[in-house]
Amino acid sequence: MARIQIPIDALTSRLNLGSRFEGVRSQSISTRFANLRPISEFLNLSRLSKPANFGEVQSRVNYNLGYFSSNYVVVGIMLSIYSLLTNLTLLFDIIFVGLGLFAIKKLDGRDLELGFGRATTSQLYTGLFVIAVPLFIWANPISSALWLVGATGVSILGHASFMDKPIDTAFSEEAV
């Protein structure tokens, strides 16, 4: 039986996803959020409409991903925080590892001397690893990551495809 070949490049090139994220790494945080749109404009219900066809969906998504890009980053951050707050085991494990690494680094390579024994930094790193990895697996981070990808994708692409372009932008495109 022949395998079905799905042209992923043909699908993603139409949405211009490859070049959309090129300038993100070179921007500072203040520059990134300089074009944060007001919430009244981002959630303007009078501009919500069903697109007529897939070409209009592509046009809206291309426009809105550029226009509301900072707002979409904020939506992604908020969903990430929500994901961590609903998976407290994962949040505890992340905090535990961060504080453990900070405490071991604070020793500056010296051994930790307790009243009943002595632990080298290698033993401390091993102990942190032995505790954190099973806890991390038990926290089920793959489920949280997949939920985060799905929720972010549905939220952002849903908003971008249903939010109509402003009137002045629609007229300027038709004139060209």
Side-chain angles (χ1 to χ4, degrees), residues 55-163:
E56 188 176 348
V57 170
Q58 286 178 322
S59 174
R60 287 182 181 189
V61 167
N62 278 332
Y63 176 79
N64 287 329
L65 283 180
Y67 189 72
F68 292 117
S69 62
S70 296
N71 294 70
Y72 293 144
V73 169
V74 171
V75 168
I77 291 170
M78 289 171 53
L79 286 172
S80 299
I81 292 169
Y82 176 77
S83 174
L84 283 175
L85 290 177
T86 55
N87 191 348
L88 291 177
T89 310
L90 183 61
L91 179 64
F92 172 76
D93 195 39
I94 290 170
I95 292 171
F96 175 72
V97 169
L99 290 176
L101 291 174
F102 175 76
I104 294 171
K105 186 121 177 133
K106 197 84 166 152
L107 290 173
D108 291 327
R110 292 174 289 156
D111 293 346
L112 178 65
E113 295 184 28
L114 300 171
F116 55 87
R118 180 182 200 139
T120 65
T121 55
S122 177
Q123 290 171 334
L124 292 173
Y125 281 122
T126 304
L128 183 65
F129 180 78
V130 165
I131 294 170
V133 169
L135 190 60
F136 184 74
I137 293 169
W138 185 55
N140 204 0
I142 295 173
S143 171
S144 294
L146 291 176
W147 178 87
L148 184 62
V149 167
T152 305
V154 167
S155 301
I156 291 174
L157 289 177
H159 180 273
S161 59
F162 285 110
M163 183 63 73

Side-chain angles (χ1 to χ4, degrees), residues 1-68:
M1 182 179 257
R3 288 181 51 168
I4 297 173
Q5 297 292 328
I6 300 174
I8 298 295
D9 186 44
L11 296 173
T12 58
S13 65
R14 293 185 64 122
L15 293 175
N16 195 17
L17 295 177
S19 63
R20 185 167 307 283
F21 302 110
E22 287 175 359
V24 173
R25 291 188 190 131
S26 62
Q27 293 178 340
S28 66
I29 292 179
S30 61
T31 309
R32 177 75 192 137
F33 292 109
N35 65 344
L36 192 64
R37 306 293 177 196
I39 192 87
S40 59
E41 183 179 358
F42 184 65
L43 298 177
N44 187 358
L45 295 180
S46 64
R47 287 183 42 206
L48 284 179
S49 66
K50 180 182 168 193
N53 53 28
F54 189 69
E56 188 176 348
V57 170
Q58 286 178 322
S59 174
R60 287 182 181 189
V61 167
N62 278 332
Y63 176 79
N64 287 329
L65 283 180
Y67 189 72
F68 292 117

